[in-house]
Amino acid sequence: MTGILLKVASVSVFVTMSTLIKSGGEALPAGQIVFFRSAFAVLPILAYLALRGQLDNAWRTANPLSHVRRGLVGVTAMGFSFYGIMHLPLPDAIAIGYAMPLLAVVFAAVFLGEKVRVFRWSAVVVGLGGVLIITWPRLSLFGDGFGSTEALGAMAVLAAATLGATAMILVRKLVLTEKTPTIVLYFSLTATVLSLVTVPFGWIVPDWPTLLMMALAGFCGGLGQILLTQSYRHADVSTVAPFEYTSIILGLLIGYFLFGDVPTWTMLTGTTIVVGAGLFVIMREHRLGLERRAQRRLVTPQG
């Protein structure tokens, strides 16, 4: 229960982060938002690692270039994601982002050689079909005034999901040699530095209310990462993962009451399909994990 509560808390904090970005980042370039998100996320992460006595070890890495590569992919994904959040209703942006774990299954099979059976392939295909249902009304609006910005927003979130899935693969390689605190810390630091590359493309001096919202958004990003990490200490990933989808409920409520976003039937239908497919993949992973544990117990020790 502690793990589940921490997971729900992390989801709530991340949705709060997206809400602050959508509310205060309208006039800011995506690269500048990424900078604020990354720079202010470092503060709670450093405090957390210091309290746990892990700060000294967190700086030690055997693969600095791997962290830079993961940071570059992650920064680009965040930039696309924030652009999409600014140009789409919040629930739509959240729902399209659910494509990321489905794409991660595909990338794990292609790039890591993981064995994916027909059940999970079927769930991935169905889930991506749900994403298409959500995005198609937006994509069909290219060239129609404001509709074109929504189409670009949908494409941006899809790009963010693709890059996010790529980052997940990079992280799965990193965990073989690096500790979790090291990965989290170096990502925030590299993201902060890499986002500064966008300064020549135009940054805006924000007013104090905007700066405060961006600082809070960054702090929420770091706090959400800490809560997420802690949730995995108290429960299996397969146990807490389904609660990721509570974000769509929060997104619908915030979108309606704060931004006046009324969900469409295509959005609700597509989201139901995507969430169902995602839950199927999670349950399948949980079942396979139980089977692997049972097989290990049946192996008679040699000696």
Side-chain angles (χ1 to χ4, degrees):
M1 184 58 67
T2 300
I4 291 171
L5 291 174
L6 286 168
K7 173 65 175 180
V8 173
S10 74
V11 169
S12 302
V13 170
F14 280 128
V15 172
T16 301
M17 178 195 75
S18 298
T19 303
L20 288 167
I21 289 171
K22 188 172 180 65
S23 299
E26 184 175 1
L28 301 179
Q32 190 173 0
I33 297 175
V34 171
F35 171 79
F36 285 123
R37 156 65 177 88
S38 305
F40 285 96
V42 173
L43 301 178
I45 291 173
L46 288 175
Y48 170 73
L49 294 177
L51 287 173
R52 294 187 61 85
Q54 298 176 331
L55 191 55
D56 291 339
N57 291 332
W59 295 103
R60 300 173 185 172
T61 175
N63 298 291
L65 291 179
S66 296
H67 287 288
V68 173
R69 191 182 307 116
R70 182 262 192 274
L72 180 60
V73 173
V75 163
T76 310
M78 276 200 291
F80 278 121
S81 176
F82 296 158
Y83 180 89
I85 288 173
M86 298 306 302
H87 293 87
L88 281 177
L90 185 60
D92 293 58
I94 292 173
I96 297 172
Y98 289 156
M100 184 175 68
L102 299 173
L103 291 172
V105 173
V106 178
F107 292 170
V110 174
F111 299 113
L112 299 181
E114 292 187 5
K115 189 174 182 181
V116 180
R117 294 182 174 85
V118 65
F119 294 102
R120 276 194 293 168
W121 279 123
S122 300
V124 168
V125 171
V126 171
L128 293 178
V131 172
L132 182 60
I133 291 174
I134 300 169
T135 56
W136 186 252
R138 310 291 179 187
L139 300 180
S140 63
L141 294 176
F142 270 117
D144 292 340
F146 174 72
S148 63
T149 63
E150 288 197 344
L152 290 173
M155 291 296 293
V157 178
L158 284 173
T162 303
L163 290 169
T166 304
M168 290 175 68
I169 301 303
L170 295 175
V171 170
R172 289 171 90 164
K173 290 183 177 181
L174 271 173
V175 295
L176 298 176
T177 58
E178 303 289 289
K179 297 178 181 179
T180 299
T182 303
I183 296 172
V184 172
L185 178 60
Y186 272 93
F187 172 67
S188 293
L189 293 174
T190 53
T192 301
V193 174
L194 290 172
S195 62
L196 292 174
V197 176
T198 65
V199 172
F201 298 98
W203 275 31
I204 298 172
V205 179
D207 55 28
W208 284 108
T210 300
L211 180 60
L212 178 59
M213 282 192 281
M214 292 301 99
L216 287 174
F219 187 87
C220 285
L223 179 60
Q225 188 63 53
I226 293 169
L227 292 170
L228 181 64
T229 303
Q230 282 295 98
S231 72
Y232 295 144
R233 295 182 186 277
H234 294 275
D236 292 336
V237 174
S238 57
T239 300
V240 301
F243 293 90
E244 175 69 30
Y245 295 113
T246 56
S247 61
I248 194 60
I249 300 173
L250 296 173
L252 286 168
L253 292 173
I254 293 173
Y256 181 78
F257 289 106
L258 194 59
F259 302 110
D261 297 331
V262 180
T264 63
W265 283 109
T266 52
M267 179 268 170
L268 294 174
T269 301
T271 300
T272 301
I273 294 172
V274 175
V275 171
L279 290 175
F280 180 85
V281 171
I282 292 168
M283 289 188 292
R284 183 67 180 170
E285 286 289 329
H286 180 63
R287 181 178 177 182
L288 291 174
L290 292 177
E291 291 177 355
R292 285 192 289 267
R293 292 176 197 169
Q295 289 174 357
R296 285 197 293 268
R297 293 193 191 100
L298 289 175
V299 175
T300 304
Q302 301 297 317

